C-alpha cells in the first residue's frame, strides 16, 4: 500500500502573468514529482500541489527563487489519510449488520 | 437504505450493495442498468429513476470519474436517496420525474475507486496498463472525442492528465458513449468532480464560445446562486477554458457536441484545508448544497424542452 508520510500540499498563489506561466509548466518538471491537485486558473487564484518529502526542499527553493508565494495547506498527507481511515473504521463499527 | 450512513465514506462493495438495496426498496421507481464493465471487470452500474414511459427525455448525472474525489461518490449516494425520498413530496422533482428519467452513475471509475481504498488513496485515473510503459491508467476526463489530444491533456502515460492512446480507449468512457448514443434522448448531462467550487460548461479545448453560451451562463448563475443560498458556498462559473484552463477531450465537450445542450461539470466544495480529502462531516453539507444546483439545472431542462 502506498503511503504518503511527509508529503506536503503547498498552496501557491501567482501574483502576475509571469508567475502564472511558470506554474502552468510545473507538471512538466518531472524531477519534482508533483501531483497537481488544483491546477492553474488565473492570477490570484491558488494552485495546490502535493510534493513528496525528497523533493520538498528543492521545490521550495524553486518557488523562492521565482518569488512565488506559498503556504503549507497540508503538513503531512498521511496524517490526514490515517484520520480518514480511522473515521471509516469507527463508522463501520457503529453500523453492525442486524441479525 | 434508511439506516445507511450517508455521513461517511464507503467502499465500492458498500456502494454496490446500496444500489441493490435502493432498487429492492423502490422497484417502481428505481432500476439498475449495467452499461458495461471496467477494465478490471467490475460492473458499470447506473441507477435509473423512472416513473414509466419509454425513452423519455432524460437527465444524466455521474460522480467519481476521478476516483480519489471521494466526496463526489458520497454525494451521489445521497442524491440517490434524496430522489426516492422527495419523489411525491417535492413538487418540482415530482414534475420532473413524471416527465423525464434520471440516470445516476455513482461509481463511474470503479477500478480507480477500489484502488484508492486498497493501494493508493491519491489515485485519479483508470487502471488499464499502458503497453510499453510502467505507468498505469488514463485520465478519463481527457479521453473523450472532443478536441482529443489537443493541448490541455498530456501525451505522457505517467501524467495525471494522460489522454490515452485514442479517444474512448477506456471502457469506463466508451460505455457512457455507447449508452448516450443508444439512448438518444438525454437532454442534460452533469459530470461531478471535486474540488475548487466551480460550475462549468463547454468548451475546454477552444475559446470559441458555444452556440448556447448565453443560456448556459445564465442557468449556471441561477444554479450557483441556489447552491449558495444554503451555506454561502461561493462558486465560480463559466466555460471550462475561461474559468480553469485549456482541457482537451473532456466529458461535457463531447456531450455538448452530441447535441446535449445542458452539459455541465461541477467542481464541488473545498473547505480550504484538505483539498479533495474532505472530512466525512463535509459530505452531507456538500451534497445538500449541490442538490439545490442540480435541481435548478434539472428544473430548467424540464421547463425548456428542446
Amino acid at each position: 500500500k502506498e503511503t504518503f508520510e511527509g508529503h506536503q500540499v503547498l498552496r501557491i498563489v501567482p501574483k502576475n502573468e509571469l508567475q502564472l506561466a511558470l506554474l502552468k509548466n510545473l507538471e512538466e518538471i518531472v524531477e519534482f514529482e508533483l501531483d497537481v491537485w488544483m491546477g492553474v486558473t488565473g492570477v490570484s487564484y491558488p494552485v495546490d500541489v502535493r510534493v513528496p518529502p525528497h523533493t520538498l526542499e528543492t521545490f521550495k527553493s524553486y518557488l523562492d527563487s521565482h518569488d512565488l508565494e506559498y503556504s503549507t495547506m497540508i503538513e503531512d498527507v498521511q496524517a490526514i489519510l490515517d484520520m480518514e481511515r480511522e473515521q471509516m473504521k469507527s463508522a463501520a463499527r457503529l453500523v453492525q449488520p442486524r441479525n | 437504505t434508511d439506516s445507511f450512513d450517508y455521513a461517511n465514506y464507503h467502499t465500492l462493495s458498500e456502494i454496490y450493495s446500496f444500489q441493490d438495496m435502493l432498487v429492492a426498496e423502490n422497484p417502481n421507481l428505481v432500476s439498475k442498468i449495467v452499461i458495461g464493465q471496467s477494465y478490471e471487470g467490475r460492473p458499470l452500474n447506473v441507477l435509473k429513476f423512472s416513473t414509466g414511459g419509454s425513452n423519455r427525455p432524460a437527465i444524466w448525472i455521474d460522480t467519481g470519474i476521478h476516483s480519489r474525489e471521494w466526496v463526489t461518490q458520497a454525494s451521489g449516494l445521497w442524491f440517490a436517496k434524496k430522489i426516492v425520498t422527495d419523489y411525491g413530496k417535492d413538487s418540482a422533482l415530482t414534475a420532473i420525474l413524471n416527465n423525464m428519467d434520471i440516470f445516476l452513475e455513482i461509481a463511474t471509475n470503479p477500478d480507480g475507486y477500489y484502488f484508492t481504498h486498497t493501494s493508493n488513496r491519491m489515485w485519479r485515473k483508470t487502471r488499464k496498463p499502458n503497453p510499453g510503459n510502467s505507468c498505469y491508467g488514463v485520465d478519463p476526463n481527457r479521453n473523450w472525442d472532443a478536441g482529443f489530444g489537443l493541448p490541455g491533456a498530456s501525451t505522457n502515460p505517467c501524467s495525471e492528465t494522460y489522454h490515452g492512446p485514442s479517444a474512448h480507449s477506456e471502457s469506463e468512457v466508451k460505455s457512457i458513449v455507447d449508452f448516450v448514443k443508444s439512448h438518444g434522448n438525454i437532454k442534460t448531462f452533469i459530470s461531478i468532480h471535486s474540488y475548487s467550487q466551480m460550475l462549468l460548461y463547454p468548451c475546454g479545448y477552444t475559446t470559441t464560445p458555444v452556440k448556447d453560451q448565453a443560456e448556459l451562463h445564465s442557468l449556471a448563475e441561477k444554479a450557483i446562486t441556489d447552491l449558495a443560498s444554503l451555506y454561502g458556498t461561493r462558486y465560480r462559473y463559466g466555460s471550462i477554458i475561461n474559468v480553469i484552463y485549456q482541457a482537451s477531450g473532456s466529458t461535457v465537450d463531447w456531450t455538448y457536441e452530441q447535441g446535449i445542450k445542458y452539459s455541465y461539470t461541477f467542481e464541488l466544495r473545498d473547505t480550504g484545508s484538505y483539498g479533495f480529502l474532505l472530512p466525512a462531516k463535509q459530505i452531507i453539507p456538500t451534497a445538500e448544497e449541490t442538490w439545490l444546483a442540480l435541481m435548478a439545472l434539472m428544473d430548467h431542462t424540464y421547463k425548456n424542452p428542446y
Side-chain angles (χ1 to χ4, degrees):
Chain A
K1 184 159 186 160
E2 197 166 344
T3 56
F4 297 88
E5 284 92 359
H7 288 232
Q8 291 194 348
V9 179
L10 302 185
R11 173 159 281 191
I12 309 158
V13 183
K15 286 184 290 198
N16 52 45
E17 290 295 333
L18 185 68
Q19 293 192 342
L20 198 68
L22 275 171
L23 289 177
K24 274 184 183 163
N25 294 324
L26 272 185
E27 232 184 0
E28 306 304 319
I29 309 176
V30 287
E31 61 264 33
F32 290 140
E33 298 175 37
L34 303 176
D35 174 11
V36 178
W37 280 18
M38 186 158 75
V40 179
T41 55
V43 172
S44 303
Y45 287 108
V47 175
D48 295 339
V49 286
R50 178 176 58 82
V51 194
H54 57 276
T55 67
L56 196 57
E57 284 316 308
T58 332
F59 182 59
K60 284 182 174 175
S61 302
Y62 174 85
L63 296 176
D64 289 336
S65 68
H66 291 92
D67 197 26
L68 282 155
E69 276 180 22
Y70 65 89
S71 57
T72 306
M73 186 169 100
I74 300 180
E75 285 281 349
D76 182 355
V77 171
Q78 191 57 42
I80 306 275
L81 299 185
D82 290 344
M83 251 164 40
E84 185 182 65
R85 195 176 150 78
E86 197 43 51
Q87 215 171 22
M88 279 184 73
K89 272 163 66 181
S90 53
R93 276 196 296 271
L94 285 174
V95 188
Q96 292 297 329
R98 270 178 269 175
N99 250 332
Chain B
T1 57
D2 287 341
S3 61
F4 189 82
D5 185 4
Y6 297 91
N8 259 299
Y9 292 116
H10 293 275
T11 62
L12 185 63
S13 64
E14 286 165 350
I15 292 177
Y16 282 151
S17 302
F18 169 87
Q19 292 172 334
D20 291 335
M21 273 193 289
L22 196 75
V23 171
E25 290 168 359
N26 303 276
N28 297 321
L29 181 59
V30 193
S31 55
K32 184 178 84 177
I33 302 170
V34 183
I35 62 166
Q37 280 197 340
S38 66
Y39 172 74
E40 291 175 346
R42 296 187 174 87
L44 298 170
N45 293 342
V46 175
L47 292 178
K48 179 182 181 184
F49 300 85
S50 179
T51 57
S54 70
N55 199 236
R56 283 180 166 179
I59 292 155
W60 170 281
I61 302 167
D62 64 75
T63 54
I65 200 167
H66 284 153
S67 48
R68 66 191 185 182
E69 296 164 5
W70 280 9
V71 75
T72 69
Q73 297 94 340
S75 296
L77 294 165
W78 189 93
F79 300 151
K81 183 64 176 173
K82 181 73 173 165
I83 294 170
V84 299
T85 309
D86 279 9
Y87 177 68
K89 293 182 188 141
D90 177 277
S91 58
L93 180 72
T94 305
I96 292 166
L97 271 172
N98 282 342
N99 293 278
M100 305 180 81
D101 295 339
I102 299 175
F103 293 97
L104 175 62
E105 186 175 9
I106 295 173
T108 308
N109 174 5
D111 295 349
Y113 191 65
Y114 181 79
F115 201 68
T116 62
H117 280 268
T118 53
S119 301
N120 181 349
R121 176 66 182 86
M122 299 298 150
W123 195 259
R124 156 187 161 112
K125 299 189 283 182
T126 61
R127 286 298 300 160
K128 193 158 88 174
N130 291 301
N133 195 296
S134 59
C135 293
Y136 277 58
V138 165
D139 181 347
N141 196 31
R142 298 289 188 283
N143 189 238
W144 301 71
D145 192 10
F148 177 82
L150 293 178
S154 177
T155 55
N156 178 358
C158 295
S159 164
E160 295 290 352
T161 55
Y162 175 49
H163 54 50
S166 58
H168 308 166
S169 60
E170 304 309 286
S171 64
E172 296 81 357
V173 170
K174 180 71 163 53
S175 300
I176 300 175
V177 165
D178 291 344
F179 178 78
V180 166
K181 283 184 168 175
S182 67
H183 186 282
N185 203 13
I186 292 177
K187 300 297 185 186
T188 297
F189 192 106
I190 303 164
S191 189
I192 301 184
H193 294 243
S194 74
Y195 60 110
S196 60
Q197 298 177 192
M198 297 175 192
L199 177 56
L200 306 166
Y201 52 78
C203 261
Y205 69 89
T206 171
T207 50
T208 308
V210 294
K211 182 166 61 72
D212 302 296
Q213 168 135 339
E215 185 183 359
L216 294 176
H217 197 78
S218 65
L219 176 55
E221 185 176 20
K222 156 86 173 125
I224 62 125
T225 305
D226 288 3
L227 183 153
S229 69
L230 195 57
Y231 297 112
T233 310
R234 295 181 65 180
Y235 270 50
R236 284 191 285 154
Y237 62 103
S239 69
I240 298 169
I241 197 165
N242 284 332
V243 178
I244 315 189
Y245 39 62
Q246 187 168 17
S248 57
S250 68
T251 312
V252 294
D253 283 2
W254 181 82
T255 57
Y256 184 81
E257 288 175 3
Q258 295 302 301
I260 304 175
K261 178 161 71 166
Y262 302 117
S263 290
Y264 284 97
T265 182
F266 270 100
E267 291 282 350
L268 299 188
R269 74 151 62 179
D270 164 29
T271 59
S273 307
Y274 297 100
F276 56 79
L277 297 174
L278 270 187
K281 67 177 182 218
Q282 292 278 324
I283 294 170
I284 291 179
T286 305
E288 284 174 336
E289 67 185 11
T290 307
W291 178 252
L292 299 180
L294 289 177
M295 277 301 295
L297 301 179
M298 294 194 292
D299 190 53
H300 182 89
T301 309
Y302 163 58
K303 290 175 177 161
N304 295 272
Y306 66 94

